[in-house]
Amino acid sequence: MVWEITTDELLKKYTFGERNFAGAVVVRESGCGRNWIDLEGAVLRDINLRGADLSEADLRKADLTGADLFSACLIEARLEGAIIRNANLECANLYLCNLTNADLTDTDLNFINATQAIFCGAKLTPFSNATLIEADFRDATPALHDLICRGANFICDTIMFDGTIEKGPYFGDWKSISK
């Protein structure tokens, strides 16, 4: 079910205990310049945004611990410094998403589309079956080559932890990833 909600409505309902916003299309507020969905610094722990559209959302320094973002659309979202621990981002669309210095510890990142996504300085957990075209992992931790280049991840022109580029295109090996 797809339905629209403004950021003010979402924050108000969340404050009063509602957590299920699955399938929501978060509506942009009108204003001058680019109309971002303004959720900067919001505390949205354990929220269900399964399949939600948060394209162009400003979630810088937001706390999304335990959030369910399965199959969420986060195209061009700003998640710099966000806390996204123990969350579910499986199958999420992170195209052009900025996750610089985000904490993704113990978060499910399997099957993500991270085309041109920025993970510089992010804290990562092993993941597989992801699309990593022109993704940037400079200074992300843990800085393990096998974190990226295995688990059937599709790699093409991906910037590694040390700034080197994995040209590809190729799939990471098929070994299973253990957490």
Side-chain angles (χ1 to χ4, degrees), residues 22-72:
V25 175
V26 182
V27 180
R28 288 160 187 73
E29 306 295 334
S30 61
C32 57
R34 189 167 189 169
N35 296 327
W36 290 93
I37 298 167
D38 187 10
L39 292 167
E40 182 179 359
V43 176
L44 300 170
R45 291 172 159 260
D46 300 314
I47 193 167
N48 179 356
L49 289 164
R50 209 168 235 265
D53 185 352
L54 292 158
S55 297
E56 298 181 354
D58 184 350
L59 288 154
R60 290 175 293 168
K61 299 188 190 263
D63 185 351
L64 293 159
T65 301
D68 187 354
L69 293 154
F70 176 86
S71 195

Side-chain angles (χ1 to χ4, degrees), residues 111-174:
F111 298 97
I112 59 171
N113 172 17
T115 301
Q116 296 181 356
I118 302 169
F119 293 91
C120 295
K123 294 178 185 173
L124 300 172
T125 299
F127 56 92
S128 62
N129 297 291
T131 301
L132 307 173
I133 300 170
E134 297 178 12
D136 188 345
F137 290 94
R138 281 178 285 181
D139 300 319
T141 56
L144 303 171
H145 187 270
D146 283 349
L147 183 74
I148 305 298
C149 299
R150 63 185 287 179
N153 290 327
F154 180 75
I155 298 117
C156 182
D157 297 330
T158 298
I159 302 172
M160 300 301 288
F161 309 100
D162 60 0
T164 59
I165 298 174
E166 286 290 324
K167 293 301 282 176
Y170 67 90
F171 285 94
D173 68 34
W174 292 88

Side-chain angles (χ1 to χ4, degrees), residues 36-37 39-42 44 49 54-65 67 69 72-84 87 89 92-104 109 117-123:
W36 290 93
I37 298 167
L39 292 167
E40 182 179 359
L44 300 170
L49 289 164
L54 292 158
S55 297
E56 298 181 354
D58 184 350
L59 288 154
R60 290 175 293 168
K61 299 188 190 263
D63 185 351
L64 293 159
T65 301
L69 293 154
C73 184
L74 291 156
I75 295 172
E76 291 190 65
R78 300 178 71 185
L79 287 152
E80 297 104 306
I83 301 167
I84 316 169
L89 276 168
N93 188 349
L94 304 176
Y95 175 73
L96 288 171
C97 187
N98 190 339
L99 292 132
T100 300
N101 297 319
D103 185 350
L104 297 158
L109 297 166
I118 302 169
F119 293 91
C120 295
K123 294 178 185 173

